[in-house]
Amino acid sequence: MREQGLEAHISLAAAGESRSDTFAVCDGEGRAIWYGPFIDADADHPRGDQLAAAMGAAGRAIWLAGRAREDTGVATVTLHLAVSEEGLDEIALACRASTAGLALDLIVTDDNPALDWCQAFGRLDPVSGPLTDLVDPEAPPAIPALRAITGGLDQQFEPQERLVMHEPALDPSMELRSALESLLLHDAVGMDATMRHAVAAVVHLTVDTPHGPPTDAEEFLGRFDAAWLVASWLGHDTELSLIATLCAGEIPALSWCELMYTTTLAPWSTNPVAVHARRVFREGADQAGGSAGLRAVGR
């Protein structure tokens, strides 16, 4: 039976080696719990370069942590996953972790014990029984890291309950959201339905985050960062799926929207809708008790 009121942590390290076509996953103490070669018949065989091998190993670590969470029955688990490569697809990994019921804390570090186990002879499969020993009720000490997916967010910010999209009467961000959508949609001649939906999705993701709406246009534009959005929406499967979709393709919709909003909210934009959007930010600052620190672009 799942214990809804508990939170827990899992610490793992993962590494892949494209030259030897091997991978390894270690626990928080550096002990190997799964290593060996990628088998050609494996559905998750990375079949690629070093980054692909590292992604394959990270995916297996996430699968293992998801199994441990299920074995333990804890509802809320954060996976602290140490890897060695910069440039992994953090969005894909975060979405995969969310599907497994995990919040992902992806840490890039030179101190990765799984690297050595990629060179070990033979293989070691994970135990067939419950993996409850991997779950720790206490958060692990900080790992020396080059970058973490949660970097840049206020770690002391108290999580808030997610805003409800379908109850505009209770949503204080309704006017802001409406103004921002209108910036691109009010005169969107030639914009197809796909891009219209993308604009609405981007505005929701940047305005309705559990951290609260942006307090000025500068902060709004600063939220057009995939890693920041993923870290903000960890545990929300629908939003993580939206982020992955918006970042896909040769010309990602998220990048397109960032360009459009940056130029539309710029000081030189005299379009009435842009002027209104900037005023919404200013009025929001005044309603919040003053405009100090709230810098509307073009103000």
Side-chain angles (χ1 to χ4, degrees):
M1 182 175 179
R2 185 166 295 175
E3 299 179 56
Q4 297 288 348
L6 297 180
E7 295 186 8
H9 301 265
I10 298 175
S11 296
L12 297 177
E17 175 54 64
S18 60
R19 289 171 296 180
S20 58
D21 212 19
T22 56
F23 74 95
V25 179
C26 295
D27 63 15
E29 301 298 323
R31 296 183 293 261
I33 53 178
W34 192 8
Y35 69 82
F38 289 111
I39 306 301
D40 288 338
D42 291 341
D44 63 343
H45 192 297
R47 293 183 172 84
D49 57 11
Q50 181 57 32
L51 279 181
M55 283 289 293
R60 293 192 170 188
I62 291 171
W63 177 86
L64 205 63
R67 185 182 137 191
R69 185 192 69 82
E70 287 293 333
D71 290 343
T72 309
V74 178
T76 305
V77 175
T78 297
L79 169 60
H80 306 276
L81 179 59
V83 297
S84 299
E85 282 79 11
E86 293 277 356
L88 298 187
D89 190 339
E90 299 171 347
I91 297 173
L93 293 175
C95 290
R96 182 166 183 173
S98 180
T99 301
L102 306 165
L104 179 62
D105 175 26
L106 185 65
I107 302 164
V108 180
T109 177
D110 294 326
D111 186 17
N112 185 350
L115 288 171
D116 292 335
W117 287 100
C118 287
Q119 312 302 324
F121 178 77
R123 63 180 301 125
L124 173 66
D125 293 326
V127 297
S128 57
L131 296 172
T132 54
D133 289 346
L134 293 181
V135 181
D136 190 342
E138 300 293 333
I143 300 176
L146 303 178
R147 175 189 44 75
I149 193 172
T150 52
L153 294 181
D154 185 356
Q155 299 300 313
Q156 296 181 346
F157 193 99
E158 289 296 328
Q160 299 177 4
E161 186 175 353
R162 178 184 157 196
L163 295 175
V164 181
M165 295 176 60
H166 304 296
E167 297 183 14
L170 302 178
D171 187 350
S173 300
M174 180 178 63
E175 184 181 359
L176 174 59
R177 215 179 318 111
S178 177
L180 291 172
E181 289 183 8
S182 296
L183 278 174
L184 301 190
L185 298 181
H186 79 289
D187 190 24
V189 178
M191 183 183 293
D192 61 21
T194 300
M195 291 312 300
R196 288 176 178 271
H197 285 293
V199 169
V202 164
V203 170
H204 163 59
L205 291 169
T206 53
V207 172
D208 296 329
T209 72
H211 299 277
T215 55
D216 55 44
E218 182 179 348
E219 182 183 347
F220 168 67
L221 295 175
R223 293 185 175 193
F224 282 77
D225 178 79
W228 190 94
L229 289 173
V230 167
S232 298
W233 287 105
L234 284 177
H236 300 279
D237 293 349
T238 299
E239 279 72 19
L240 289 175
S241 179
L242 282 176
I243 296 168
T245 300
L246 291 167
C247 292
E250 185 176 350
I251 304 178
L254 183 65
S255 298
W256 180 87
C257 288
E258 180 181 15
L259 171 63
M260 297 297 288
Y261 275 113
T262 299
T263 55
T264 303
L265 280 168
W268 58 81
S269 177
T270 57
N271 185 292
V273 180
V275 173
H276 173 64
R278 293 195 295 262
R279 185 168 61 249
V280 170
F281 282 116
R282 289 197 297 269
E283 292 175 351
D286 294 337
Q287 293 171 2
S291 58
L294 303 180
R295 305 169 302 282
V297 174
R299 187 169 178 175

